Amino acid sequence: MKTFLNIGALSRYQQNKTFVMSAAMATVVTVLSLGLAIFVNWIFGLVWLLLLVLMAAALVRQLIFASQDSESYLEELTYRVKTGQQEAVLQMPVGIILFGDQRVVWVNPYIQELLGDRDIIGSNLLDDEEEIKSAIENDGESTIHWLDRSFTIDYQKDLGALYLLDTTENVALEKNLADHRLVTGIVSVDNYEEVTEGMPDSETSKLRTEVTEQLTNWAKKYDLYVRRLSPVSYLLMGYQLDLQRAEDDKFSVVKAIREATAQQNSPLTLSMGIAYGEKDINSLVQLAQTNLDLALGRGGDQVVVKAEDAPARFYGGTTNPMEKRTRVRARVISQTVAELMDQADQIFVVGHKMPDLDAVGSAMGLWRFAQTREKKAFVVVDEEHIFSDIQSLLRAVRNTDPEDAQPGVNLGASVISEKDALERVTDQSLLILVDHAKEQLTGAPELLHDLSNRLVVIDHHRLAEDGLSEKPMLTYIEPYASSTSELVTELLQYQNQKGAPITRLESTAMLGGIQVDTKNFVLRTGSRTFDAASYLRANGADNELIQSFLKEKFADFKARAELISQAEIREDAAISVGDNETIYPGVITAQAADELLQIEGVKASFVLTKRQDGRVGISARSNGDFNVQTVMEDLGGGGHLSNAATQMTDTTTKEAYDQLIQAIEGQEAEEASI
């Protein structure tokens, strides 16, 4: 009976007020039923009472037994949960490190197993492991590499607990996926047609076999697939891991084929455009072709590796591009330019900032080209920022204009400012950029913005990756050419000039552009350079007039001599650094670099001066044995292998010198590794 009435033996939920109230209500109902039974018949009431007592005793007993079972089950479950938690902390592949006063006070067995015999208890792990310290200071979750494993970490500052989730396998899977993403490349033999012209079929076949064999052997070395598409092009496929190995090798096959074919007196060069990172194979191939176009636009003999959303990486390009002897391309370009002019209502020709004779001379040549198509054309020049030679040229041109000179029809009246050009421009106008192909260098940026979809580019500098935001309607970039004036002279020869013949001054300006860029036919000249010069001379170009344009002031002569006297010889490079407080005209800087290259033993020259706009300008020249283009590209500029420049903002000439030395050393190290 004591057991039956031991209410304290009930479980806590059975002692709950709600449970007690329910029991009380059941008791009241029972009592009422008992009273009713006695009222009906007292004997029946006694029997009913006995039954109720027995039922109540049985019910209480069952509740007590159930409560005891429940308590036992909960105690067992609690024990198992605590044991499971302890085992998880000790056995699961999750590292736990507890800190006290920034020192390690406890590590779980998983971390200790990775540590081996190393004991870190009591050590200041945050000072010893910079990667862990940096990750904790950055808050939140981050990934680190520690103990030859990869971990995603989470730090609870209030507990001083560091949790390390081992993600080594996931990281390895991600890396494997990235390593095996598809890479596509297109390989082109730059000058196959020029080299094999007039060559016997047997020699041509031998040369082609040599290239294919070397390229195939190189591809097999790096597990790449190569297939010849034509005598001058190949398809290259592989994985990103293989591409990385080929990049580490600096694409040595380009140099190997150039040297091997040169020994046969048939020097062939390769260019490659390689693309990666695209999920769509069609987009990948299109990007590879774009990269190849960039490599060819920079002069060929190089490799361009680029993803859609990543900067390009360049390999090679250390030799001067071979002059192409065919005129077919020039004739086709001339006809295309003529058709574009015919479709326009007027033509605007723009050179680069601070234009030289090549920029202005080629612009005047294209103005004459437009006259042969009976189209109004304008040469856009910022006359507030031009050198004395251009000032003299423009004075001479305007002196030849009649009194009723008409803009667009007479050359002198057609030399206008950007402001005037913006007032004349329409949606049907055509813009031609000469002697440059970069938005940052253009002499009329607003005009370029307005006519970015009606654009033609004619240039002889190697194509830069960050050239123009919009793709031109026509791009004619030939890095092998001596100057843009040479290219325009060739284009002009394919037009009928009977109604609008080239004038003496126009011929003189274009010949002056060729002479300035070739340093009087010393640098970057080929057979077509002399052909163009001969044509201009035949049309009245005057060398004496060119010399009168190029005469300089005594102050400029003195400034150039000062820069030359400050030069130092560093191995085989001459470097002159102008005073940071002295402003030098850009032409003086360029001329000083040209003259320093004449010193015996000097393969490259660099002149650094402060410009009028506050930037530091660097003019770089070489004799062809040193690639100054890549050095200038490292500093944000560009140009040719033997003629390049850059302008650097927010720096002094001394700081620019330090950066120049780093760029030179970087290139020397890269060339030494090839």
Side-chain angles (χ1 to χ4, degrees):
M1 188 69 179
K2 183 177 180 180
T3 303
F4 292 161
L5 300 178
N6 186 12
I7 304 300
L10 298 174
S11 63
R12 280 176 291 180
Y13 79 86
Q14 292 170 339
Q15 299 179 39
N16 186 274
K17 288 182 179 181
T18 303
F19 181 82
V20 173
M21 288 294 294
S22 300
M25 291 175 64
T27 302
V28 170
V29 172
T30 301
V31 171
L32 290 175
S33 67
L34 178 61
L36 181 62
I38 294 174
F39 178 77
V40 173
N41 187 308
W42 68 271
I43 296 177
F44 179 70
L46 289 175
V47 174
W48 182 245
L49 176 62
L50 180 61
L51 290 174
L52 290 175
V53 170
L54 292 175
M55 289 174 60
L59 179 62
V60 171
R61 183 179 180 83
Q62 290 299 322
L63 286 173
I64 291 174
F65 287 159
S67 176
Q68 290 174 346
D69 289 344
S70 176
E71 291 290 342
S72 176
Y73 172 75
L74 291 175
E75 287 177 1
E76 181 183 357
L77 181 62
T78 301
Y79 170 76
R80 291 172 62 189
V81 169
K82 289 183 178 179
T83 303
Q85 290 176 338
Q86 293 173 355
E87 289 297 319
V89 170
L90 297 176
Q91 302 298 331
M92 281 185 65
V94 177
I96 303 176
I97 301 177
L98 298 181
F99 292 91
D101 295 329
Q102 294 189 340
R103 294 188 176 276
V104 178
V105 297
W106 181 81
V107 298
N108 70 332
Y110 179 74
I111 287 294
Q112 188 58 57
E113 182 180 351
L114 295 178
L115 288 167
D117 296 334
R118 180 182 173 188
D119 184 11
I120 64 172
I121 303 297
S123 66
N124 192 334
L125 187 65
L126 300 184
D127 286 345
D128 296 340
E129 301 291 343
E130 185 64 32
E131 192 171 2
I132 295 179
K133 179 180 179 181
S134 176
I136 290 176
E137 290 176 349
N138 290 335
D139 297 330
E141 293 187 356
S142 57
T143 301
I144 65 169
H145 189 77
W146 184 49
L147 302 177
D148 295 327
R149 312 285 291 179
S150 295
F151 297 99
T152 297
I153 73 168
D154 187 20
Y155 182 63
Q156 292 186 330
K157 187 175 182 180
D158 54 339
L159 299 178
L162 179 65
Y163 303 96
L164 300 97
L165 177 63
D166 193 337
T167 58
T168 304
E169 291 186 5
N170 290 342
V171 171
L173 287 173
E174 290 177 1
K175 185 177 185 304
N176 185 62
L177 177 62
D179 287 344
H180 289 83
R181 294 192 68 178
L182 188 63
V183 170
T184 300
I186 300 178
V187 183
S188 172
V189 184
D190 299 332
N191 53 338
Y192 179 82
E193 293 180 358
E194 289 75 27
V195 170
T196 59
E197 184 179 3
M199 185 180 290
D201 290 344
S202 59
E203 293 296 323
T204 301
S205 176
K206 181 180 179 182
L207 195 61
R208 188 166 59 242
T209 301
E210 173 77 17
V211 172
T212 302
E213 184 178 353
Q214 289 218 34
L215 187 60
T216 301
N217 292 339
W218 172 82
K220 286 182 178 179
K221 180 180 178 181
Y222 296 103
D223 299 321
L224 296 168
Y225 171 79
V226 64
R227 183 174 182 83
R228 192 173 72 190
L229 303 178
S230 72
V232 296
S233 63
Y234 298 81
L235 175 66
L236 196 67
M237 298 187 73
Y239 293 124
Q240 205 154 319
L241 175 65
D242 306 323
L243 171 62
Q244 184 59 55
R245 293 166 56 208
E247 286 192 76
D248 293 340
D249 178 53
K250 309 295 184 184
F251 292 92
S252 60
V253 66
V254 174
K255 181 179 180 181
I257 288 178
R258 183 177 65 244
E259 293 179 347
T261 55
Q263 292 177 359
Q264 302 176 28
N265 296 320
S266 304
L268 293 176
T269 61
L270 294 187
S271 290
M272 298 187 194
I274 298 178
Y276 65 96
E278 294 289 329
K279 296 180 181 179
D280 178 14
I281 192 168
N282 291 318
S283 300
L284 199 64
V285 174
Q286 290 174 4
L287 181 57
Q289 182 61 56
T290 300
N291 294 344
L292 176 62
D293 292 341
L294 178 58
L296 295 173
R298 290 166 55 86
D301 189 30
Q302 58 191 281
V303 182
V304 175
V305 181
K306 187 181 184 301
E308 183 67 35
D309 55 351
R313 300 188 292 276
F314 302 99
Y315 300 91
T318 58
T319 62
N320 275 313
M322 175 179 289
E323 179 183 356
K324 302 182 186 301
R325 291 188 288 270
T326 176
R327 293 182 176 272
V328 174
R329 177 168 165 78
R331 186 173 66 252
V332 171
I333 293 294
S334 179
Q335 185 59 36
T336 305
V337 171
E339 292 174 357
L340 292 173
M341 286 186 174
D342 291 343
Q343 297 167 11
D345 59 357
Q346 54 188 340
I347 296 93
F348 297 92
V349 188
V350 177
H352 50 75
K353 294 177 181 177
M354 306 292 288
D356 55 9
L357 266 178
D358 186 34
V360 177
S362 58
M364 289 182 175
L366 285 169
W367 181 89
R368 175 54 58 187
F369 192 118
Q371 302 308 304
T372 66
R373 310 305 300 182
E374 298 182 351
K375 289 290 182 177
K376 285 189 176 183
F378 302 90
V379 177
V380 183
V381 177
D382 181 6
E383 296 190 50
E384 294 182 0
H385 299 90
I386 56 176
F387 298 114
S388 58
D389 54 346
I390 306 303
Q391 292 174 352
S392 300
L393 172 60
L394 295 183
R395 280 197 302 268
V397 168
R398 285 174 175 146
N399 288 336
T400 62
D401 273 358
E403 293 183 2
D404 58 344
Q406 301 178 44
V409 177
N410 298 107
L411 181 55
S414 300
V415 179
I416 62 175
S417 66
E418 182 182 17
K419 181 180 178 182
D420 293 336
L422 291 171
E423 293 176 354
R424 295 175 178 272
V425 70
T426 69
D427 292 340
Q428 297 303 313
S429 298
L430 180 68
L431 176 62
I432 304 178
L433 300 185
V434 293
D435 205 32
H436 72 293
K438 293 181 70 173
E439 291 182 8
Q440 302 92 320
L441 298 179
T442 191
E446 292 185 39
L447 189 62
L448 174 58
H449 179 269
D450 290 349
L451 293 176
S452 59
N453 62 336
R454 301 275 301 164
L455 180 63
V456 172
V457 175
I458 301 177
D459 189 18
H460 71 115
H461 297 98
R462 295 195 182 200
L463 187 62
E465 179 192 355
D466 58 342
L468 298 166
S469 56
E470 298 290 336
K471 187 175 182 180
M473 299 171 67
L474 174 65
T475 300
Y476 185 36
I477 296 179
E478 295 288 2
Y480 75 89
S482 68
S483 58
T484 309
S485 292
E486 175 188 326
L487 296 176
V488 173
T489 300
E490 289 186 344
L491 300 182
L492 196 55
Q493 292 181 60
Y494 292 106
Q495 297 303 309
N496 186 350
Q497 300 179 35
K498 288 183 178 179
I502 188 171
T503 66
R504 168 176 170 271
L505 268 177
E506 292 160 4
S507 297
T508 300
M510 297 173 72
L511 181 60
I514 295 175
Q515 288 190 11
V516 166
D517 273 22
T518 60
K519 305 300 177 288
N520 289 320
F521 300 97
V522 172
L523 300 176
R524 299 187 308 278
T525 54
S527 61
R528 290 171 68 173
T529 306
F530 292 102
D531 289 344
S534 176
Y535 172 80
L536 295 172
R537 284 284 289 167
N539 282 274
D542 189 339
N543 278 325
E544 293 183 1
L545 188 56
I546 294 174
Q547 296 306 313
S548 69
F549 292 156
L550 295 176
K551 283 186 177 180
E552 60 184 335
K553 300 176 182 178
F554 176 71
D556 293 341
F557 178 84
K558 185 177 179 182
R560 184 173 68 254
E562 181 180 313
L563 287 172
I564 295 172
S565 66
Q566 294 173 350
E568 63 175 23
I569 306 299
R570 181 186 178 276
E571 295 181 357
D572 49 10
I575 304 175
S576 175
V577 182
D579 182 71
N580 194 60
E581 304 302 322
T582 304
I583 305 299
Y584 290 91
V587 67
I588 300 301
T589 305
Q591 290 172 351
D594 290 331
E595 295 196 23
L596 285 173
L597 195 60
Q598 307 306 314
I599 298 174
E600 184 179 358
V602 171
K603 295 182 179 179
S605 63
F606 302 88
V607 179
L608 300 82
T609 59
K610 200 74 170 184
R611 293 165 52 93
Q612 192 171 2
D613 57 10
R615 295 184 294 175
V616 173
I618 305 179
S619 284
R621 303 289 186 270
S622 83
N623 61 2
D625 294 333
F626 188 98
N627 192 341
V628 295
Q629 177 200 3
T630 54
V631 174
M632 293 296 99
E633 285 181 339
D634 288 343
L635 300 177
H640 278 292
L641 178 143
S642 58
N643 186 335
T646 189
Q647 292 83 43
M648 306 172 64
T649 57
D650 301 324
T651 188
T652 65
T653 53
K654 177 61 173 66
E655 293 169 345
Y657 169 80
D658 294 337
Q659 295 181 52
L660 173 64
I661 295 300
Q662 292 179 5
I664 293 174
E665 291 176 345
Q667 174 164 307
E668 291 174 344
E670 182 176 330
E671 290 179 350
S673 66
I674 296 178

